Amino acid sequence: MERNTVQTEPCKTNLFAEYGKSLMVHVDMSPGQRILDLGCGTGALTAELAKNGANVLGIDNSAEKIVKARFSHPELMFAEIDALELPYNEEFDTVFSNSVFHWIPNVDRLLAEIRRALKPGGKLVCEFGAASNIATMRQAFAAACARRGREYRERFYCPTPDEFFDRLKAAGFEPERVLEFDRQTPLPGGAEGLRRWVRCFLADELSVFGAAVQEQILSEVETACRPLLWNGEEFVVDYRRLRAVAFRG
């Protein structure tokens, strides 16, 4: 069992679906395997999981993404389902999830739902944000909010390997590996890439401010991040990822 191992993965592309393909080395995708792609988005990785003959179901809580997934991959099965309310009992050989867990703070319930959905001895394969994920931007944004008398409260679940290992054990899993690694990731959009990212992923936090203040905050975050994240052509984000493989005990 590997635990709390630090690795570095070179940057290849800014597409999370492409990154997710490297996670598939831990998945048996042979014919007859039943796989749940939890948080499938528009289905790019669901299609990869199914290409060798495995029986794959993609689920997401976004109706819009499920519509797009069905349009792009009409031969596959997709369903709009909340990850915290899985209607399955011992049905899957593998639950696969890429870049999803950090959006779900109630990880204990999530793991309980996943365990129930897995067959005895079934496997969980997941990757998501680790503890120091996007630390530069988070710190810059928190400082900009503090200057305006507001506390930035972290809403993403980004644990250390030890913390997640313990949560897996408590949920009834036997971890095979829990690894963290750096993944420097370029943002699309050139000079506007950082602002677009903040507007997208911190939209709720920005929404409490008026339009003029939002622009001030974006400018301050960009100024603070530029010395560390700007490479002359684009912003390269300091993503740090956690990858786990565990079996239902």
PDB file of all heavy atoms in Angstrom, residues 94 113 189 242:
ATOM      1  N   THR A  94     -16.408  -1.142 -10.339  1.00  0.00           N
ATOM      2  CA  THR A  94     -15.549   0.029 -10.127  1.00  0.00           C
ATOM      3  C   THR A  94     -16.389   1.296 -10.124  1.00  0.00           C
ATOM      4  O   THR A  94     -17.279   1.453 -10.961  1.00  0.00           O
ATOM      5  CB  THR A  94     -14.480   0.153 -11.236  1.00  0.00           C
ATOM      6  OG1 THR A  94     -13.682  -1.028 -11.262  1.00  0.00           O
ATOM      7  CG2 THR A  94     -13.583   1.356 -10.998  1.00  0.00           C
ATOM      8  N   GLU A 113     -22.044   6.289   0.218  1.00  0.00           N
ATOM      9  CA  GLU A 113     -22.874   6.019  -0.959  1.00  0.00           C
ATOM     10  C   GLU A 113     -22.116   5.183  -1.981  1.00  0.00           C
ATOM     11  O   GLU A 113     -22.652   4.243  -2.582  1.00  0.00           O
ATOM     12  CB  GLU A 113     -23.335   7.336  -1.578  1.00  0.00           C
ATOM     13  CG  GLU A 113     -24.317   8.126  -0.740  1.00  0.00           C
ATOM     14  CD  GLU A 113     -25.681   7.451  -0.693  1.00  0.00           C
ATOM     15  OE1 GLU A 113     -26.292   7.246  -1.759  1.00  0.00           O
ATOM     16  OE2 GLU A 113     -26.131   7.131   0.419  1.00  0.00           O
ATOM     17  N   GLY A 189      -6.903  31.208 -22.624  1.00  0.00           N
ATOM     18  CA  GLY A 189      -7.321  32.605 -22.635  1.00  0.00           C
ATOM     19  C   GLY A 189      -6.208  33.610 -22.502  1.00  0.00           C
ATOM     20  O   GLY A 189      -6.464  34.819 -22.401  1.00  0.00           O
ATOM     21  N   LEU A 242      -4.733  14.793  -5.688  1.00  0.00           N
ATOM     22  CA  LEU A 242      -4.711  13.605  -4.850  1.00  0.00           C
ATOM     23  C   LEU A 242      -5.351  12.472  -5.636  1.00  0.00           C
ATOM     24  O   LEU A 242      -6.445  12.624  -6.173  1.00  0.00           O
ATOM     25  CB  LEU A 242      -5.460  13.860  -3.545  1.00  0.00           C
ATOM     26  CG  LEU A 242      -5.391  12.770  -2.475  1.00  0.00           C
ATOM     27  CD1 LEU A 242      -5.493  13.395  -1.087  1.00  0.00           C
ATOM     28  CD2 LEU A 242      -6.473  11.720  -2.656  1.00  0.00           C
TER      29      LEU A 242
END
